[in-house]
Amino acid sequence: MFLKLFSKSRSTDDLELVRQYRRTGDLDVIGRLFERHTEMVYLICLRYLGEEEESKDATMQVFEQLIVALKRHEVSNFKSWLHTLTKNHCLQLLRSNRLKDKVSQALPQEQHTLPQSETPQSELDWQALEHGLVHLPAEQRTCIELFYLQQKSYREIEEITGCDQKQVKSYIQNGRRNLKIYIEKNHAQR
């Protein structure tokens, strides 16, 4: 039984499913990969995030990422690649949560006592930033999050995204510009 878990046929089956998905775009194929690897992804998420509900959400987010990521990346060992993708997703979530905590801790004490109808300016800035990130094209958002939130180098971003360094720099530069435009518009509307 133990050796059966590590047999080559399972890995080959995964790679065949990956090839099939890349050829057809059939989401049922992603569903089969999800069924096979949900437990592994969930346990990785649980190890990093420590909370069951957050880990369940993260597991679903990882499989949503597969829809795009498998079309962009050549995968030779699906299970190992999925493990890395999951770990990076969890680290990104942790980094994002830490930044939120830092922003809330940095608020002056008197802002914590404002009436509930008012929101502190820093919180509004943070919300504008979060909304701006959501509105960026996927490549720009990914590169911005990896570079600024996870503090990855250009080379690390290249490896994660499969883009070359010129593309990574372009996505970061354009993402910053688009984020700034979005935030300026958001603040002008208040």
Side-chain angles (χ1 to χ4, degrees):
M1 178 68 181
F2 178 75
L3 293 176
K4 195 174 190 179
L5 293 173
F6 298 101
S7 69
K8 292 281 184 190
S9 62
R10 177 110 187 214
S11 177
T12 305
D13 291 342
D14 288 344
L15 290 178
E16 181 53 40
L17 288 174
V18 169
R19 282 188 216 104
Q20 183 181 351
Y21 173 70
R22 288 174 63 96
R23 248 188 346 264
T24 65
D26 184 2
L27 293 179
D28 288 337
V29 175
I30 296 289
R32 283 189 258 161
L33 288 168
F34 177 78
E35 286 175 14
R36 287 183 180 183
H37 299 286
T38 302
E39 184 176 1
M40 178 191 78
V41 171
Y42 172 74
L43 291 174
I44 293 167
C45 292
L46 188 59
R47 183 177 61 178
Y48 279 93
L49 303 175
E51 294 181 16
E52 287 186 32
E53 288 305 312
E54 191 175 358
S55 297
K56 289 176 185 176
D57 291 343
T59 299
M60 295 306 295
Q61 292 163 358
V62 166
F63 281 99
E64 288 170 3
Q65 285 181 2
L66 284 182
I67 294 168
V68 175
L70 283 177
K71 294 226 178 215
R72 293 180 49 200
H73 300 284
E74 286 295 323
V75 177
S76 58
N77 183 335
F78 179 76
K79 190 172 182 178
S80 174
W81 179 83
L82 180 60
H83 185 282
T84 301
L85 180 75
T86 303
K87 179 185 77 165
N88 288 337
H89 179 74
C90 291
L91 292 174
Q92 184 178 353
L93 288 174
L94 289 171
R95 174 80 55 166
S96 177
N97 289 341
R98 274 191 229 126
L99 281 177
K100 286 179 186 178
D101 291 344
K102 284 180 184 178
V103 168
S104 66
Q105 290 171 359
L107 292 173
Q109 285 298 333
E110 63 269 14
Q111 287 187 334
H112 290 289
T113 60
L114 288 174
Q116 290 193 355
S117 63
E118 296 180 34
T119 306
Q121 186 63 35
S122 295
E123 181 65 22
L124 293 174
D125 292 343
W126 181 252
Q127 289 173 1
L129 179 64
E130 281 184 320
H131 290 198
L133 282 171
V134 170
H135 287 90
L136 288 178
E139 296 87 1
Q140 291 177 11
R141 179 178 58 249
T142 299
C143 289
I144 290 281
E145 288 174 344
L146 289 170
F147 189 75
Y148 289 104
L149 299 179
Q150 295 187 29
Q151 299 177 348
K152 300 283 186 190
S153 68
Y154 290 130
R155 178 167 297 281
E156 290 173 315
I157 297 171
E158 287 176 55
E159 291 172 5
I160 292 168
T161 63
C163 299
D164 62 35
Q165 188 172 9
K166 186 177 178 181
Q167 289 173 311
V168 168
K169 287 181 177 181
S170 176
Y171 288 141
I172 291 171
Q173 182 180 11
N174 292 334
R176 282 179 36 188
R177 184 187 67 245
N178 291 337
L179 194 54
K180 181 180 178 186
I181 290 168
Y182 178 85
I183 290 173
E184 286 173 353
K185 282 182 183 178
N186 190 7
H187 285 293
Q189 291 174 356
R190 279 189 263 144

